[in-house]
């Protein structure tokens, strides 16, 4: 690390420093450069073995990042993995050439992994054999510390005083070979993660929030993989326009046909057929391909075979007996939408209003987003079905049952006890 970087890491949690005087121009923010240049991309077993050896011999936490090809390829697999560790330097690994990184994951077991927005990268890392036993999430740390902007570029700039290159976050990372500017961008994503982690740890400690953050990080690291979504077709954009069950069946059939085609061709489903086109076809229920072609999203550029494929899906949905049509909505696993509470249960609506106001005030005093203090879903559930006797013990037990962490329970339980006593 350069002297300037050390000074920035030691002194610059800049959110507390205020703006410069009007007559003093702000110092230009230097653009971050790779310390050792762009490392070669690791795409063979021999090169991977050398990286595993180097990182196993390194010291301290490991900075980890992954790049996906969202919007280009099917699924959320990793197409590049970036790492950095003291004593090992940086590494760029191609999971296409090295699809099994379980050896690397094992070598790093027991070490703290530093990720930015960990929940975004952990699923694709898990697919290739990399699962941390402990982690530090710099984005979540920034939220808990009260930073208004928690993107990696903003955090590096505000905390460490360096500017990260922008412009390659949404490129097609499945491209091979990867262009040098993209690789440079990817290497810089882990260049200062360790420094950022250390500075944020100090700030969280200063605010008395470090143990809170550690609880959050442990919860992320120990969380099981998310189960598959039930009826994922219901998340089609524009679905709120579709009211009739027969139309819903068309959405389901088109969504399923599109998903199968996208998986087979390994491209993003949106590139096969847009959500908007699916909804248009569901609303129109076209009788034939000629009528389908007239709809937005099914224009003249679409080949006849594709049109026949989509029309066949529409026809299958139209031919279903009523007993096989989807129901208007999924059964709610929790309380109804809050807008309906005043009519359904005025007392619950009063409890929710009081709870939301109390949580909002506490979050403002603690300088963190409300959703990080306690999830809105947890607040809704406990207000809709409160303990029969809302005492500190019963409320704490209910919060723990909804997955709240110890520090969250400690902060919000007293507020909720009072809110649950509110009457309409």
């Amino acid at each position: 690390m350069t002297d300037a970087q050390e000074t920035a890491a030691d002194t610059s949690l800049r959110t507390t420093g205020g703006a410069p005087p009007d007559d003093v121009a702000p110092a230009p923010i230097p653009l971050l450069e790779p310390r050792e240049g762009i490392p070669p991309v690791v795409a063979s077993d021999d090169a991977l073995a050398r990286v595993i050896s180097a990182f196993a011999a390194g010291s301290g936490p490991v900075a980890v990042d992954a790049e996906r090809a969202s919007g280009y390829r099917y699924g959320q697999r990793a197409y590049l993995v970036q790492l950095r560790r003291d004593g090992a330097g940086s590494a760029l690994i191609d999971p296409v050439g090295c699809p099994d990184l379980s050896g690397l994951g094992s070598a790093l077991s027991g070490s703290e992994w530093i990720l930015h927005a960990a929940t975004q990268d952990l699923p694709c890392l898990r697919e290739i054999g990399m699962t941390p036993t402990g982690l530090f999430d710099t984005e979540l740390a920034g939220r808990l510390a009260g930073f208004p902007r928690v993107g990696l570029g903003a955090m590096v700039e505000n905390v460490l005083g360096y500017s990260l290159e922008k412009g390659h976050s949404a490129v097609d990372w499945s491209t091979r070979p990867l262009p040098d500017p993209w690789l440079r961008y990817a290497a810089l994503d882990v260049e200062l993660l360790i420094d950022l982690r250390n500075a944020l740890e100090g700030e969280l400690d200063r605010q008395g929030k470090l143990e809170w953050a550690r609880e959050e990080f442990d919860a992320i690291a120990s969380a099981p993989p998310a189960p598959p979504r039930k009826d994922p077709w219901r998340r089609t954009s524009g679905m709120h326009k579709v009211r009739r069950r027969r139309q819903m069946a068309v959405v389901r059939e088109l969504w399923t046909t599109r998903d199968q085609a996208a998986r087979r061709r390994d491209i993003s489903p949106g590139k096969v057929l847009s959500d908007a086109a699916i909804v248009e076809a569901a609303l129109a229920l076209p009788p034939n391909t000629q009528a389908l072609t007239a709809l937005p999203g099914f224009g003249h550029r679409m080949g006849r075979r594709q049109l026949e494929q989509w029309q066949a899906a529409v026809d299958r949905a139209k031919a279903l007996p009523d007993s096989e049509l989807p129901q208007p909505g999924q059964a709610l696993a929790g309380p109804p939408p809050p807008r309906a509470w005043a009519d359904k249960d005025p007392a619950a609506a009063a409890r929710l209003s009081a709870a939301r106001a109390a949580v909002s005030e506490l979050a403002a005093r603690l300088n963190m987003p409300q959703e990080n203090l306690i999830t809105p879903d947890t607040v809704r559930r406990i207000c809709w079905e409160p303990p029969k006797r809302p005492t500190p013990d019963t409320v704490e037990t209910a919060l723990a049952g909804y997955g709240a962490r110890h520090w969250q329970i400690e902060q919000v339980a007293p507020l909720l006890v009072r809110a649950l006593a509110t009457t309409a």
Side-chain angles (χ1 to χ4, degrees), residues 58-396:
S59 61
V62 185
V64 183
D65 190 28
E67 305 294 348
R68 300 176 298 279
S70 303
Y72 298 93
R73 295 288 182 174
Y74 186 88
Q76 294 295 314
R77 66 169 293 185
Y79 282 96
L80 188 70
V81 175
Q82 309 100 281
L83 304 102
R84 185 172 181 85
R85 192 178 198 184
D86 288 345
S90 294
L92 302 177
I93 302 175
D94 178 5
V96 177
C98 301
D100 182 4
L101 299 187
S102 57
L104 177 60
S106 297
L108 300 178
S109 179
S111 302
E112 179 189 85
W113 294 20
I114 309 168
L115 299 103
H116 193 82
T119 54
Q120 295 183 20
D121 287 341
L122 287 179
C124 70
L125 290 170
R126 190 179 288 117
E127 286 182 0
I128 53 179
M130 296 185 66
T131 302
T133 52
L135 60 85
F136 189 106
D137 187 331
T138 49
E139 185 206 45
L140 181 52
R143 291 180 182 276
L144 296 176
F147 283 81
R149 297 166 59 226
V150 293
L152 181 58
M155 294 294 290
V156 167
E157 184 173 317
N158 291 333
V159 177
L160 301 177
Y162 280 86
S163 176
L164 286 179
E165 280 192 5
K166 302 178 179 67
H168 300 305
S169 61
V171 299
D172 181 2
W173 288 96
S174 68
T175 300
R176 293 296 183 271
L178 286 165
D180 282 349
W182 299 11
L183 295 174
R184 184 175 183 277
Y185 165 91
L188 289 174
D189 272 356
V190 292
E191 185 80 10
L192 288 183
L193 267 186
I194 297 172
D195 305 288
L196 181 60
R197 172 241 182 267
N198 293 339
L200 289 172
E201 181 182 59
E203 178 64 8
L204 288 167
D205 191 35
R206 185 187 71 80
Q207 295 185 23
K209 300 175 180 176
L210 184 56
E211 289 306 316
W212 302 358
R214 286 174 175 159
E215 280 193 58
E216 293 298 303
F217 302 155
D218 288 345
I220 294 173
S222 61
R229 289 189 184 277
K230 183 181 179 181
D231 293 345
W233 58 269
R234 291 184 185 272
R235 296 177 63 85
T236 301
S237 180
M239 188 70 189
H240 64 281
K241 302 175 186 176
V242 181
R243 304 289 185 180
R244 292 157 48 195
R245 293 175 64 200
R246 184 71 59 185
Q247 294 172 331
M248 291 178 185
V250 173
V251 173
R252 182 177 63 185
E253 198 65 39
L254 285 171
W255 189 98
T256 302
T257 302
R258 179 185 70 174
D259 190 69
Q260 292 169 347
R263 185 190 297 269
R264 185 174 63 252
R265 296 163 57 187
D266 189 21
I267 59 175
S268 169
K271 289 187 174 296
V272 177
L273 187 69
S274 70
D275 279 10
I278 289 178
V279 170
E280 290 289 343
L283 296 176
L285 297 175
N288 50 48
T289 55
Q290 183 177 357
L292 182 68
T293 306
L295 298 177
F298 297 93
H300 63 279
R301 294 184 180 180
M302 188 171 287
R304 180 169 182 80
R305 181 175 296 180
Q306 287 179 294
L307 287 168
E308 290 174 347
Q309 171 185 251
W310 304 129
Q311 185 62 45
V314 172
D315 292 342
R316 286 194 299 272
K318 290 166 67 176
L320 287 174
D322 288 352
S323 61
E324 295 182 22
L325 297 178
Q327 293 302 315
Q330 293 172 296
L332 292 172
R339 63 180 178 273
W341 286 28
D343 293 330
K344 290 178 177 291
D345 189 338
R351 292 192 293 266
L352 182 62
S353 178
R356 283 175 162 175
V359 168
S360 177
E361 181 183 353
L362 178 58
R365 280 194 279 117
L366 294 175
N367 192 27
M368 70 170 64
Q370 295 180 45
E371 63 269 20
N372 292 114
L373 175 58
I374 191 74
T375 67
D377 181 66
T378 297
V379 175
R380 287 193 295 269
R381 287 173 183 270
I382 201 168
C383 288
W384 184 253
E385 294 186 4
K388 290 183 179 179
R389 294 181 62 249
T391 66
D393 285 345
T394 60
V395 170
E396 289 175 9

